[in-house]
Amino acid sequence: MTEVLELFAPYGPGWLGGVLLALILFYFGRQFLEEFKKQNERKADLDVKREERKQAEVAERAQRDRERSQMEGRIAAQMERSNSLMEAMKTLMESVATSNEVLHADLANSQARSQGMAAKVDHICDRVDLLYDKEANN
């Protein structure tokens, strides 16, 4: 230490104080810069993590939107199939109703013909009975 003091002795104590002050400022300045760099790196890391989180949220939202769109598509297709089946059932019911009307008309016609035939058979039975009665009396 004395050697260092002897080096600066010709310049006076002001120079020695100035050099010490410069060394102290250099030491603390370097520590300040290192801490400043660390803070900037931490901020950068936080920014990167925040951006990654945002990207993950965007990707998740896009995935949910795709799934929702697919689900809506399936629902729409199911509704369309359901509507088609309803139309087919409606057509079938109309066909059954028309068929029932035709069968009802045929039944009414058949009943009328049966009544007509029954009247004829009754008439024939009456005639045959009348003939048998005549023959039996003769």
Side-chain angles (χ1 to χ4, degrees):
M1 179 81 174
T2 57
E3 296 171 355
V4 172
L5 289 174
E6 287 176 6
L7 283 173
F8 288 104
Y11 302 108
W15 277 97
L16 181 62
V19 168
L20 283 174
L21 185 61
L23 287 173
I24 291 171
L25 285 175
F26 178 73
Y27 175 76
F28 285 115
R30 201 172 77 197
Q31 284 186 347
F32 175 76
L33 284 176
E34 287 177 12
E35 186 63 30
F36 185 72
K37 285 180 185 177
K38 287 179 186 177
Q39 286 289 339
N40 282 344
E41 287 174 2
R42 278 186 242 148
K43 285 180 184 178
D45 286 343
L46 288 175
D47 288 344
V48 167
K49 287 179 184 177
R50 187 179 304 121
E51 286 300 318
E52 288 173 352
R53 225 179 16 244
K54 284 181 182 178
Q55 290 298 324
E57 288 173 1
V58 167
E60 184 179 331
R61 198 173 306 124
Q63 178 66 25
R64 277 185 284 170
D65 288 345
R66 279 192 297 275
E67 289 172 357
R68 188 179 316 119
S69 293
Q70 290 173 349
M71 184 63 73
E72 288 172 354
R74 282 182 263 174
I75 289 171
Q78 186 65 32
M79 291 286 286
E80 189 173 319
R81 283 192 294 272
S82 178
N83 288 342
S84 295
L85 286 172
M86 296 272 286
E87 285 296 320
M89 288 295 285
K90 184 178 175 184
T91 303
L92 180 64
M93 291 302 290
E94 289 172 358
S95 172
V96 167
T98 304
S99 177
N100 281 344
E101 288 173 8
V102 169
L103 288 174
H104 183 69
D106 284 348
L107 180 63
N109 187 22
S110 176
Q111 285 175 342
R113 285 182 29 220
S114 293
Q115 287 172 356
M117 288 202 283
K120 286 180 183 177
V121 167
D122 284 343
H123 181 68
I124 291 171
C125 280
D126 288 344
R127 292 283 180 187
V128 168
D129 285 344
L130 188 64
L131 285 175
Y132 280 127
D133 286 342
K134 276 186 182 181
E135 282 185 24
N137 286 336
N138 283 339

